[in-house]
Amino acid sequence: FGLLVPSLLGWATLSGRWTRRRVLSEIASDSNLESATLRVRQLATLNDIGQAVLSSLELDVTLSLIMDRVQEALSAESGSLMLIEDRKLVFHTSFGPVSSELTPQNKLELGQGIVGWVALTGESVLVKDARQDPRHLTEFDRKLAYQARSILCVPLKEAENRVLGVIEVINPLNQEVFSKQDRELLESIATFAATAIQNARLYQQTLRYVTDLYALYEVGKEISSTLTIDEIIKKIAVETLRLTSAARSQIALVDEPTKRVTAMVRVGFGSSAQFGPSLEVIVDDETDALTQQERYNRILQGLCGYALREKSSTMTNNLRRDERVRGLDLDKAVGPHAQSMMSAPLLLQGEPVG
């Protein structure tokens, strides 16, 4: 019996060690399995995104396809993809119960809210309880009548590490909070998505460039086919409207020595749903001197006058607040509801002629 006790104790000790090793081995095996499962999930999701975005080079379609896969991969209640435009975050595509409220007209400052913080710092954020995070925009929740609990937000970065925008998902459906694995998956998606966004933008820029070159070729061909000034500026005004997708365009030719407007065409200032933008020849050789003087003085005002004086192009995206048009009747000068405007001088041997 005296020999049996030590033997039993020895066996128990060895058994305990073997059991612990086996448990640790199984835990490691489970960890490896979980890691492998996550990797398979990531690769499958990225493969799906790759196939989806390769089916279209249109930016809006690409963004929508990316968020479809994000919703599916992370089982989130809601989510948004926002891009940085003019130093602001702009909602481009969203899903969830309040997605209809999140339009491109909704913009956030860089640094504003959790998404703004991610866009500003370029760092991912996983928030378990948004109500306890001081960066969270609680007023946004109140405005939308929506309660955000767990939030996961990652930056969209290009190769040079510049932040293009962010992807945010809110409230997981299958668990209380988003996990570290969810963050790793969304970061992988964001890396792939940033490349897809850049490709779509490059395609659109190239397409626009080719379209512009062809339009300039067509305008040049039509201009060379006529010798009348009125017909030439009519064609230029119409093509300018089409190329810029603007609501209205205007071309005026001026003679500085006599202070006269020698020709003027306006397109789109009198439009109808049935007939589209109207084309008006405002000035011709028979216009009386008083009207000529009035029109010349008007051309010298606002952005047109600035372009003539400075001999360079100019633009504004907030016409109502631009100091150069202060005091002008904008509805009469540039048409109703005008918000942005471009103006460029017509130069002949370095001097403005319109």
Side-chain angles (χ1 to χ4, degrees):
F1 181 78
L3 292 174
L4 181 59
V5 172
S7 298
L8 289 173
L9 290 174
W11 179 87
T13 302
L14 290 172
S15 177
R17 290 175 182 170
W18 177 81
T19 303
R20 283 197 298 272
R21 281 199 295 269
R22 181 171 182 179
V23 169
L24 290 173
S25 176
E26 288 182 355
I27 290 174
S29 178
D30 288 345
S31 177
N32 291 336
L33 179 61
E34 182 181 351
S35 177
T37 301
L38 174 63
R39 188 59 180 159
V40 169
R41 178 184 168 202
Q42 289 176 337
L43 291 174
T45 301
L46 293 176
N47 182 60
D48 287 345
I49 290 177
Q51 291 181 356
V53 298
L54 286 175
S55 66
S56 174
L57 284 172
E58 294 293 331
L59 182 60
D60 290 340
V61 175
T62 298
L63 299 181
S64 181
L65 290 170
I66 289 169
M67 290 308 289
D68 285 346
R69 296 306 185 274
V70 167
Q71 182 181 16
E72 181 182 336
L74 293 170
S75 298
E77 183 179 62
S78 60
S80 300
L81 191 154
M82 307 173 71
L83 296 179
I84 297 176
E85 298 174 4
D86 297 325
R87 301 279 308 162
K88 293 182 185 294
L89 273 175
V90 180
F91 284 90
H92 272 269
T93 181
S94 303
F95 64 84
V98 294
S99 60
S100 60
E101 303 292 327
L102 304 176
T103 63
Q105 284 69 43
N106 291 319
K107 301 178 182 180
L108 294 174
E109 300 289 339
L110 298 184
Q112 184 181 11
I114 291 174
V115 290
W117 188 90
V118 171
L120 187 63
T121 63
E123 298 178 13
S124 301
V125 167
L126 196 167
V127 178
K128 294 183 177 180
D129 188 351
R131 294 165 295 185
Q132 304 300 319
D133 195 303
R135 296 168 296 185
H136 180 53
L137 295 175
T138 53
E139 64 272 20
F140 210 65
D141 282 1
R142 285 195 293 269
K143 179 182 176 183
L144 298 174
Y146 180 72
Q147 181 61 63
R149 301 185 307 275
S150 181
I151 295 177
L152 175 57
C153 186
V154 303
L156 293 161
K157 293 182 180 181
E158 63 178 8
E160 293 78 15
N161 226 30
R162 184 173 68 93
V163 178
L164 302 174
V166 299
I167 297 178
E168 178 189 48
V169 287
I170 302 174
N171 299 345
L173 296 175
N174 300 330
Q175 53 194 359
E176 286 296 318
V177 298
F178 290 108
S179 66
K180 179 183 176 182
Q181 289 77 15
D182 291 328
R183 184 178 67 186
E184 291 174 356
L185 175 58
L186 192 56
E187 285 175 341
S188 297
I189 293 173
T191 300
F192 199 97
T195 302
I197 290 169
Q198 287 181 286
N199 288 342
R201 282 178 166 174
L202 181 60
Y203 169 75
Q204 288 188 331
Q205 291 170 0
T206 303
L207 186 63
R208 178 68 179 270
Y209 180 67
V210 171
T211 303
D212 289 353
L213 285 179
Y214 180 75
L216 289 173
Y217 166 74
E218 288 294 315
V219 170
K221 194 167 65 172
E222 290 193 25
I223 288 175
S224 63
S225 67
T226 180
L227 294 176
T228 64
I229 292 295
D230 283 348
E231 287 302 315
I232 289 174
I233 63 174
K234 277 183 192 178
K235 293 180 186 298
I236 295 174
V238 171
E239 283 302 310
T240 299
L241 196 70
R242 185 178 68 82
L243 284 172
T244 59
S245 300
R248 293 174 281 278
S249 71
Q250 171 180 285
I251 295 181
L253 301 183
V254 298
D255 182 47
E256 293 245 348
T258 61
K259 312 262 187 236
R260 294 175 63 244
V261 177
T262 58
M264 184 173 177
V265 169
R266 287 153 50 108
V267 183
F269 283 78
S271 305
S272 69
Q274 182 178 1
F275 298 106
S278 65
L279 188 149
E280 307 167 75
V281 179
I282 304 296
V283 180
D284 55 35
D285 292 338
E286 297 178 1
T287 307
D288 63 85
L290 179 62
T291 304
Q292 288 281 12
Q293 186 64 51
E294 289 176 344
R295 291 203 179 279
Y296 182 79
N297 290 338
R298 183 176 292 179
I299 288 295
L300 293 182
Q301 297 174 335
L303 265 65
C304 291
Y306 179 90
L308 284 171
R309 290 190 300 274
E310 299 297 323
K311 303 178 185 179
S312 66
S313 302
T314 186
M315 66 175 292
T316 178
N317 286 320
N318 196 335
L319 197 58
R320 306 286 163 174
R321 293 188 179 182
D322 197 297
E323 291 291 330
R324 293 170 295 182
V325 298
R326 176 172 288 186
L328 296 182
D329 184 344
L330 291 178
D331 286 349
K332 183 181 292 185
V334 296
H337 312 301
Q339 295 180 341
S340 59
M341 177 178 174
M342 296 187 293
S343 185
L346 300 173
L347 301 176
L348 182 61
Q349 295 180 344
E351 294 302 315
V353 295

